[in-house]
Structures are given as structure tokens and as C-alpha cells.
Amino acid sequence: MTLADDAITWFDKNARDLPWRQPDTSAWGVLVSEVMLQQTPVVRVEPAWRSWMTRWPTPADLASDPPAEAIRMWGRLGYPRRAMRLHAAAVAMVERHDGRVPSDLDQLLALPGVGTYTGRAVATFAYGQRHPVVDTNVRRVVSRAVEGKPDAGPATTAADLVAMAELLPEEPARAARASIAFMELGALLCVARSPRCTECPFEAVCAWRRAGSPAMVGPSRKPQRYAGTDRQVRGLLLEVLRHETGPVPRQRLDLVWNDDVQRARALAGLVEDGLVEPLSGDAFVLAGDAPAVRPQSL
């Protein structure tokens, strides 16, 4: 038995019943889930994913609406630039791929906002291809089980992709199953703090466990603070704009935060990121909500 075999056996018995894992889920549904799950817990993503797929079951459905609607539907998932990227990717799929999510990895990676992880995840989980799919959870599992280290580095490297590829079965469908199994192990058992090693199928062979589960050397990564940050102010500003379809004067936005400098910086960041559009008269709207300018009659 290999690590992949053990992971698949465990996954078949213990996997969470998530809607984007259902056999009838489209490649578009998989892509939406992967983008939403970046930096957002499953418990918050699941209802948002269901609402999104009900409204926009295909890329063409989303592409036909302005990006402002994607930002509104994104709600409070956080990091709303992901909504803009999904909208841009949908537009690109309509223009380049007849409104379909491409199965070719290079074509996936060429879509706006689709990076190394997301492209491989869609090719693997939606199309059953053999690619190393490496996120934080997978890197931690491989680092512990194979390398005997307590955790992996802060970002995915080419070496991480190679290490994961070496663990995958040759048969594509089984390799895809192994990829999601490793990911689930990292999410449920091989967690960063208080790992549930006695429940892990790798316990007997895990290099980290056999080395005595040594602790990390050096400073630990602290959770990101939210309260009082520009992220919080950006969220408050977007919350006002999401509930309006017309121009919102700056004076109204000024009410959401009393630090003038920080509020102005957050608003400028939203404009720079393309989430918000400034209008004449010192007013603002979500991207795509700007009123059309009628040509003057001669």
C-alpha cells in the first residue's frame, strides 16, 4: 500500500459531503468553489456557492451581467477581488471557449485570475486529470508524512509540485482521487495546531510522527488581524455600495469610518483594484454600475 492508497481508502469513508464534489457538478461549479475557498472556510462558502450557482449556472450567465453584480453576490466572503476575477474569467471563457471551462491546463492558466493552484485543481477535480494539486493543507501533509518536518514553507514552490507528483498514482482518475484525499487529510486531521494523528491513516509511517513530532523552529505564523485594518474599512465601504445601484456621494461613505486618512486610503485602494468607479460630483459606484453616457444630439 502507498500513501496515496491509504489516503484514498480513508477519504472514501470520511470525506465531507460538499455540493461541489457531487458527480453532476459542472467544471464551472468546481472553478467557483475553488476561488471561493481561497482564504475562506467551507462553512461560509457552501451557502454562497449554492446562491451563486443558482443565479449563474454557467460562465455565460455571469458574463452577461456587469461585474457589480458579482461583487454584490460575493457579499461578505472577503477578498472581493476574487469576484472580479471570476467575472473576468467568465467573460474570457465566453470569448475564447464558447462559454465552457476549458479542460486543457495551459488554457485554464491563461484565464484571468486562475493561478497555479486553481488551474490544476479544476483540471484535476473537474476533468479527472493527473496533476499535482498543492495547497497549504497538502504541503503540510507531505512535509510531515514524507519529510518529517512540522510544517511547510509559506508558499508553494516547484519542489512542492514535484514532491506531490511523485506520490500520485499513474492512472489519472485515481490520481485525482488521491489529490482530493491528501487535501482532505490536511483539512480535517493533519491540521496546523493539535493534529489528530491517532486517526490518521499515515500514523504508522509518518516521518514526523516517527521523529517524535518535533515542534517548529522559529516564530510561528500569527493569524491575520482584521479589526481596525484597511481590510475592515474596505469591507464597510463596499457594504454601502453593494446596497445601491446609483451613485453614492462621498459624504455618505465618510460616515462608515471616522479616521479620514485611513478611510481615504481604503477607498483609493478599492478604486485602484477596479472594484469601485469614481464619478463626477465626488460620487462612487461599484464597477460596472456607472450610468451610461448618452450621446448628445446634434
Side-chain angles (χ1 to χ4, degrees):
M1 293 282 285
T2 65
L3 289 179
D5 292 328
D6 290 340
I8 291 171
T9 299
W10 173 87
F11 180 79
D12 289 344
K13 297 177 181 178
N14 298 281
R16 289 170 292 181
D17 183 19
L18 302 176
W20 46 85
R21 291 179 179 170
Q22 299 305 310
D24 59 348
T25 301
S26 66
W28 170 240
V30 173
L31 174 58
V32 172
S33 73
E34 290 298 339
V35 174
M36 286 186 170
L37 286 165
Q38 295 167 12
Q39 299 173 299
T40 305
V42 167
V43 67
R44 293 178 58 202
V45 167
E46 186 168 349
W49 182 88
R50 292 184 185 277
S51 297
W52 187 285
M53 294 303 298
T54 297
R55 180 168 180 179
W56 297 306
T58 70
D61 294 319
L62 176 58
S64 66
D65 275 342
E69 292 305 306
I71 300 171
R72 286 193 175 89
M73 182 63 80
W74 199 256
R76 302 183 67 85
L77 281 180
Y79 301 99
R81 279 178 289 183
R82 292 179 291 170
M84 294 285 289
R85 292 170 187 154
L86 263 177
H87 186 274
V91 171
M93 284 183 273
V94 169
E95 294 174 346
R96 306 174 196 171
H97 305 292
D98 296 322
R100 294 188 295 270
V101 178
S103 59
D104 179 77
L105 179 58
D106 289 336
Q107 291 179 341
L108 282 166
L109 294 174
L111 294 173
V114 174
T116 298
Y117 166 78
T118 305
R120 284 168 170 76
V122 173
T124 299
F125 303 145
Y127 293 112
Q129 298 176 13
R130 186 185 187 278
H131 298 289
V133 183
V134 180
D135 70 350
T136 300
N137 291 320
V138 172
R139 285 191 292 111
R140 186 168 55 251
V141 170
V142 175
S143 177
R144 287 175 176 170
V146 178
E147 301 171 3
K149 300 176 181 178
D151 207 345
T156 300
T157 66
D160 293 322
L161 295 174
V162 171
M164 185 60 195
E166 292 176 348
L167 297 176
L168 296 178
E170 288 301 320
E171 200 274 316
R174 190 160 179 81
R177 193 75 172 167
S179 290
I180 190 64
F182 276 98
M183 194 172 296
E184 192 80 335
L185 273 170
L188 298 184
L189 300 185
C190 194
V191 294
R193 296 178 178 84
S194 302
R196 295 155 57 186
C197 296
T198 58
E199 301 174 46
C200 180
F202 300 162
E203 183 187 16
V205 297
C206 175
W208 180 63
R209 183 78 166 166
R210 295 174 73 176
S213 306
M216 287 187 63
V217 177
S220 60
R221 281 172 278 175
K222 297 180 180 179
Q224 290 185 337
R225 182 174 60 92
Y226 179 73
T229 63
D230 285 5
R231 276 188 59 218
Q232 182 184 16
V233 183
R234 285 164 61 102
L236 293 171
L237 293 169
L238 281 178
E239 188 67 14
V240 173
L241 292 161
R242 271 198 300 263
H243 287 87
E244 299 291 341
T245 56
V248 176
R250 184 186 292 270
Q251 292 91 328
R252 184 172 174 191
L253 295 176
D254 287 347
L255 299 176
V256 307
W257 198 254
N258 59 12
D259 185 325
D260 295 343
V261 174
Q262 187 178 23
R263 187 182 63 250
R265 183 172 65 242
L267 182 58
L270 291 172
V271 172
E272 183 178 353
D273 290 342
L275 291 160
V276 172
E277 296 180 19
L279 303 177
S280 59
D282 210 18
F284 300 84
V285 294
L286 289 181
D289 265 353
V293 178
R294 297 180 180 179
Q296 294 182 349
S297 57
L298 299 177

